[in-house]
Amino acid sequence: NRKRLSAFETTDEVLNSYYDTLIKFKPRYLYGYVSVIELFVQYLKKHNLKLPESVTSIITTSEVLTDSIREFVESYTKLKVFNEYGCGEVGSIAHECSHGNMHLMSDNLIVEILDDKGQASNIGEIVVTDLFNYAMPLIRYKLSDYAELQSGRCSCGVSLPMVKKIFGRAYDMIIKSDGSKAHPELLMYVFEDLKEKVKGVEQFQLVQDAKDHFTINLVLSSDAEDMSVYQDMLVKRIDQELKHAYQYTFNKVDEIQREKSGKIRLIKSCLDQT
């Protein structure tokens, strides 16, 4: 009862074939990487296409769902977007409910949040134990992701515990000039703010390839501003947020390259994280 479509090819021709499949199959919901869902909805908007009435919701997974992407997808499709957090080894770990809270799948998993000393904490690394994988038991499996728990009970009626925020993977942390680490979400806000203030930015990626150097890749629309406009704004904001003057290389690209997994890492570090 599921149709799988590749995230590795996203040309207009391929997206058109995906749309044809969608119309024929009439799914109840769409489920996929954030970047591919966004790209597909951009294609629908570009060609003035609508989803079939059978689709009642959209579920995003694997990548960061920003407020602007959620707003864009919901605005055009008129459907609610539900965010999911999981991994291939254990499946869904947390899922957004109709009230906007992320509930942990504690009926299938034991989910622990541990601090740097391995002690239980409200904020820390996510460690999971799968209760139903008898073929290959995963016990206290470290995901290298971080989360913050949320207290209280959700008014949606689901009694499963909640997670307030899920942070990026450890290898995507930014190494600051003094050796300390900055969470990549700090820079996500910089790019999201840029997209709101200046037209033309369709996709972005920041790569830290040296301690004092960032490579910034931008996918720009046909009505974009001159590259210098984005350079000036980004350099000023990033240096301000990280409290250091960095060196930059800016590239205008046709697309952001995906990892072998098919995911896009918007904030990527090439530095040793130990």
Side-chain angles (χ1 to χ4, degrees):
N1 295 321
R2 174 180 288 191
K3 288 281 188 183
R4 292 182 180 270
L5 304 172
S6 174
F8 289 92
E9 279 196 89
T10 54
T11 63
D12 273 13
E13 183 179 0
V14 171
L15 292 176
N16 183 64
S17 70
Y18 290 175
Y19 182 72
D20 288 343
T21 300
L22 197 70
I23 294 299
K24 294 174 183 176
F25 187 63
K26 294 181 170 54
R28 292 284 303 279
Y29 62 89
L30 302 185
Y31 175 92
Y33 292 162
V34 173
S35 59
V36 180
I37 293 291
E38 180 189 23
L39 196 62
F40 185 64
V41 175
Q42 287 174 345
Y43 171 82
L44 296 180
K45 184 177 181 180
K46 176 182 175 182
H47 296 279
N48 196 28
L49 300 173
K50 300 295 182 184
L51 294 174
E53 293 183 1
S54 62
V55 181
T56 58
S57 64
I58 296 172
I59 301 171
T60 57
T61 190
S62 297
E63 300 166 340
V64 176
L65 176 64
T66 64
D67 290 341
S68 63
I69 293 176
R70 182 196 289 271
E71 182 180 342
F72 165 68
V73 173
E74 290 186 341
S75 175
Y76 185 76
T77 65
K78 303 298 188 289
L79 296 173
K80 171 70 176 172
V81 174
F82 296 92
N83 199 21
E84 182 210 51
Y85 169 72
C87 68
E89 296 89 331
V90 302
S92 183
I93 296 172
H95 208 291
E96 184 179 352
C97 71
S98 59
H99 287 224
N101 290 316
M102 295 285 286
H103 291 270
L104 293 171
M105 303 292 100
S106 297
D107 49 356
N108 298 318
L109 308 165
I110 296 173
V111 182
E112 301 174 82
I113 306 297
L114 306 180
D115 62 20
D116 292 339
K117 297 180 180 179
Q119 302 298 312
S121 174
N122 282 331
I123 302 177
E125 185 175 4
I126 302 171
V127 178
V128 297
T129 299
D130 193 332
L131 299 177
F132 292 99
N133 189 345
Y134 303 120
M136 181 62 235
L138 292 172
I139 300 172
R140 306 198 84 191
Y141 182 58
K142 292 185 175 182
L143 300 178
S144 296
D145 286 357
Y146 294 81
E148 178 181 358
L149 293 176
Q150 182 171 330
S151 60
R153 293 174 69 92
C154 184
S155 56
C156 74
V158 175
S159 60
L160 294 171
M162 297 176 289
V163 59
K164 184 177 182 180
K165 201 154 198 170
I166 296 168
F167 304 103
R169 294 183 178 276
Y171 53 69
D172 281 335
M173 299 292 276
I174 297 298
I175 307 298
K176 299 171 70 174
S177 59
D178 61 1
S180 62
K181 296 179 180 179
H183 193 274
E185 196 159 313
L186 179 69
L187 300 185
M188 285 289 294
Y189 287 126
V190 172
F191 283 96
E192 288 302 313
D193 190 45
L194 174 73
K195 290 177 71 175
E196 288 184 6
K197 290 181 177 178
V198 185
K199 67 179 181 179
V201 180
E202 293 187 346
Q203 285 184 297
F204 60 84
Q205 182 187 51
L206 178 143
V207 180
Q208 184 176 24
D209 37 30
K211 194 171 182 180
D212 287 320
H213 186 272
F214 293 119
T215 294
I216 295 178
N217 301 313
L218 297 175
V219 178
L220 303 177
S221 64
S222 58
D223 62 345
E225 304 286 347
D226 185 81
M227 179 65 89
S228 62
V229 174
Y230 309 112
Q231 292 178 3
D232 293 344
M233 291 185 66
L234 287 171
V235 168
K236 181 179 179 180
R237 280 292 306 280
I238 294 172
D239 286 354
Q240 179 182 350
E241 294 291 345
L242 298 180
K243 299 178 174 58
H244 182 74
Y246 291 85
Q247 299 296 313
Y248 295 85
T249 297
F250 284 85
N251 298 317
K252 181 181 177 182
V253 298
D254 293 331
E255 63 178 0
I256 303 300
Q257 294 298 311
R258 296 181 179 275
E259 304 295 314
K260 291 181 179 179
S261 64
K263 300 177 185 179
I264 290 179
R265 287 164 66 184
L266 299 180
I267 308 293
K268 180 178 178 178
S269 175
C270 301
L271 304 186
D272 183 3
Q273 299 286 307
T274 58

